[in-house]
Amino acid sequence: KKGSRSIKMTLENEFGIKITHGKELFYPCKLDTSEAKFLGLNEEDLGMKVERTVFQGSKVLEYTKSTVRGDRFVYTTNF
C-alpha cells in the first residue's frame, strides 16, 4: 500500500530500535489437552512448537512460543 511501512521500519525510524538478528526453533510435540482442544485435534496428536527470539545486539526484543498443528504446518521464509 502507498504510505505503509513495515513494523521494522517504524521501530527504527520512530523509536530508534534496530533489529539486528533473530532465531527460530521448530520441534515436534504431542499436544496436551488444552492445545488439542484449541487446535481442533485430539490429545497426543502431533503438533509443532515454534520458538522465536528477536534481538537488538544482545538485548531480547521479542520472545514468542507457539504450538501449531503438525498436519498443516508450513514454513516459508523470505530474505
Side-chain angles (χ1 to χ4, degrees):
K1 275 184 178 176
K2 184 178 180 181
S4 67
R5 295 189 303 182
S6 69
I7 290 174
K8 183 178 181 216
M9 292 302 297
T10 300
L11 288 172
E12 281 188 36
N13 295 334
E14 295 187 24
F15 301 101
I17 298 171
K18 183 173 179 167
I19 295 171
T20 57
H21 64 287
K23 66 179 181 177
E24 290 184 313
L25 175 66
F26 305 91
Y27 54 95
C29 65
K30 288 188 178 181
L31 300 176
D32 65 26
T33 304
S34 64
E35 292 168 331
K37 183 177 179 180
F38 183 76
L39 295 172
L41 296 171
N42 298 312
E43 187 175 354
E44 299 290 316
D45 280 351
L46 290 178
M48 185 73 69
K49 294 283 187 187
V50 181
E51 291 185 42
R52 174 185 174 102
T53 311
V54 178
F55 298 88
Q56 178 180 19
S58 62
K59 183 179 178 180
V60 175
L61 297 176
E62 173 195 354
Y63 174 78
T64 56
K65 186 173 183 179
S66 309
T67 305
V68 298
R69 290 178 64 128
D71 61 339
R72 295 186 184 169
F73 180 78
V74 175
Y75 179 70
T76 301
T77 184
N78 294 305
F79 293 95

